[in-house]
DNA sequence: CGGAACGTTGATTCTCCTCAAGCGGGGTGG
DNA sequence: CCACCCCGCTTGAGGAGAATCAACGTTCCG
């Protein structure tokens, strides 16, 4: 957040988007240039509401920081629908009228880029590979939403936490933000609870158990997955079909 | 299911699709003809697996009967992701590579139509209103999936059941399959449980409570919502933004 | 008549929630 | 510089909601 050279960091942040999409569809240099030339948009503090439920969504990319799509109930209960990571798109699709869906809040300080030029390029239908990458990224988002239903519906608290951690680690790896079992971890236990439909207290106890089981290690804003195979077995997490992604 | 004239019923079944889409976007006669001329595809018994998790999905419409998209866990736990009603599309979108997502099983006997001609028309980009209708139908599906996350994550059993019932009633009304507070009800308590992440026994007890509270009335394959306002208040169900749908 | 599928009931257990309090670090203002 | 506070984490006690286990009743159907 306070890197000495924000300019140099900027290039790396756009590369997250490029790597994310390149993992899904091989992009020609022209398409990569579209991404690299997206105008930077806004900087947000932690806890800011990027988008309300009612507002039409402008398309954006997250350059740095984490955000979350969520729904509130009248009495204050909150459900996080999906966690948005650096390199992820928000509202990047061809549909002209994306039914207003949900509010988005930042979980940390966040920098975004304006995705409008990319969406405009998509609508010309002259960038088939970029279009495919966007479609696959949207399909991955949908897969994560489906996983979220299964987690909240049929998983135990322990399974839910393992599954969420594996999903986030996989997604961070996909965009190249992470290349080991250790990842940045800005989520509070309350955010985990709101994502998994649990109480804060219960999340705390489960995390302690997982630390005792030596499944994970946490501290200093980082989280390490110590036993990836075991976590996969517990959570039944499976990344989206690689056969399709490489097709 | 055993109507005297299946031929006459067939026209009404295609009209469900037309009314469903017409509620989302005003369709020109040419587009309506595309729908009416879709070739009928298959007839399935209750409990048949229309689509497996691995298989590439052919696009279809449900002409009659109910189906469900679901995920299984290794130990047999099942989570229904969404319930598919007559007039709903399955895999109807422009994306060429819809990441394999989930299996689909029939809940009752089902008749489907082949949606391939409609998808082909979409890809020509020469049917803007039909395209818009499809986009909005997909947006409604996404809204329902989001609701499913909130239900399973933050609702009590009572709220979940109320919310599911209101959603299904609203969707049946949208496609014109229902025009009162009474709707066809082929769902077993097990199906409700698998949709809402509850046990069968608990669903049974909550339904009894709801009958005692005179919220609903059930029997003979039908379900009546006796207190719609109260059910809306309990569940916080809101149909997707009408302002967008009519735009 | 027997069986299968669905609904119902009771007893018991346990996962997870709520309430309440205390701890520790990081920042702010006096 | 210190006191204070806020936030996030931790801990304990008690309780509610929902799961599980095990029957049993009905209805439908071959």
């Amino acid at each position: 957040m306070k890197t000495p050279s924000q300019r140099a960091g900027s290039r790396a942040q756009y590369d997250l988007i490029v790597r994310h999409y390149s993992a899904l569809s091989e992009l020609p240099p022209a398409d990569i240039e579209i991404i690299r030339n997206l105008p930077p948009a806004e900087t947000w503090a932690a806890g800011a509401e990027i988008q309300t439920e009612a507002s039409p969504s402008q398309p954006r990319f997250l350059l740095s920081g984490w955000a979350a799509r969520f729904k509130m109930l009248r009495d204050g209960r909150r459900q996080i629908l999906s966690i948005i990571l650096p390199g992820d798109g928000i509202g990047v699709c061809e549909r002209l009228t994306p039914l207003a869906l949900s509010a988005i809040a930042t979980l940390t300080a966040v920098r975004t880029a304006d995705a409008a030029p990319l969406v405009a390029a998509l609508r010309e239908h002259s960038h088939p590979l970029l279009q495919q990458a966007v479609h696959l990224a949207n399909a991955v988002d949908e897969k994560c939403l489906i996983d979220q239903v299964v987690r909240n519906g049929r998983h135990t608290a322990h399974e839910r936490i393992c599954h969420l951690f594996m999903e986030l680690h996989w997604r961070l790896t996909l965009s190249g933000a992470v290349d080991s079992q250790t990842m940045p971890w800005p989520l509070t236990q309350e955010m985990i609870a709101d994502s998994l439909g649990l109480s804060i207290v219960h999340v705390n106890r489960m995390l302690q158990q997982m630390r005792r089981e030596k499944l994970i290690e946490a501290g200093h804003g980082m989280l390490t997955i110590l036993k990836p195979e075991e976590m996969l077995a517990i959570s039944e997490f499976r990344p989206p079909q690689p056969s399709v992604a490489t097709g």
Side-chain angles (χ1 to χ4, degrees), chain A:
Chain A
M1 245 152 276
K2 283 181 184 175
T3 47
S5 63
Q6 289 203 333
R7 297 284 151 75
S10 181
R11 162 146 312 204
Q13 291 172 353
Y14 281 90
D15 280 354
L16 284 182
I17 310 175
V18 172
R19 269 183 286 182
H20 185 171
Y21 278 175
S22 298
L24 299 170
S25 166
E26 200 148 345
L27 294 184
D31 292 354
I32 292 178
E33 276 316 296
I34 291 177
I35 297 172
R36 286 236 170 85
N37 292 326
L38 292 177
E42 304 106 336
T43 305
W44 310 80
E49 196 152 331
I50 290 188
Q51 183 179 303
T52 64
E53 227 175 292
S55 74
S57 61
Q58 316 173 235
R60 286 185 248 256
F61 283 100
L62 230 60
L63 291 175
S64 67
W66 293 23
R69 199 177 282 277
F70 68 95
K71 285 267 184 187
M72 296 290 306
L73 299 186
R74 262 200 299 276
D75 63 2
R77 282 175 287 180
R78 180 168 87 149
Q79 175 64 53
I80 289 180
L81 302 168
S82 64
I83 290 176
I84 306 171
L85 303 178
D88 283 349
I90 300 175
V92 176
C93 70
E94 288 140 285
R95 305 202 287 234
L96 286 165
T97 51
L99 216 58
L101 287 168
S102 51
I104 297 179
T106 60
L107 302 177
T108 67
V110 156
R111 269 171 38 89
T112 61
D114 179 6
L118 188 146
V119 170
L122 283 182
R123 295 216 170 104
E124 295 165 14
H125 299 293
S126 53
H127 298 263
L129 290 171
L130 181 60
Q131 195 172 8
Q132 188 186 21
V134 168
H135 283 172
L136 284 171
N138 288 340
V140 170
D141 285 354
E142 191 177 340
K143 190 269 186 193
C144 290
L145 199 57
I146 285 176
D147 281 352
Q148 180 80 328
V149 172
V150 177
R151 273 198 299 246
N152 283 355
R154 285 300 186 202
H155 278 184
T156 64
H158 194 244
E159 291 165 342
R160 286 183 214 193
I161 296 177
C162 288
H163 197 282
L164 177 65
F165 287 12
M166 295 314 285
E167 177 195 311
L168 291 174
H169 182 262
W170 177 79
R171 289 171 58 197
L172 287 167
T173 305
L174 184 70
S175 66
V178 148
D179 62 357
S180 72
Q181 294 308 118
T182 299
M183 53 184 163
W185 197 254
L187 297 186
T188 66
Q189 296 182 355
E190 181 172 20
M191 293 168 190
I192 299 172
D194 283 346
S195 178
L196 299 178
L198 299 168
S199 70
I200 304 175
V201 174
H202 201 56
V203 167
N204 180 285
R205 292 189 167 126
M206 290 291 133
L207 286 177
Q208 287 178 52
Q209 182 186 329
M210 288 173 66
R211 268 179 256 138
R212 263 184 275 118
E213 296 166 334
K214 299 263 184 291
L215 289 173
I216 56 166
E217 204 171 69
H220 305 99
M222 303 296 279
L223 186 133
T224 303
I225 294 175
L226 297 175
K227 298 183 183 168
E229 311 78 17
E230 201 166 330
M231 297 267 288
L232 284 177
I234 292 168
S235 65
E236 298 187 33
F237 175 79
R238 311 195 95 261
Q241 300 288 353
S243 60
V244 179
T246 54

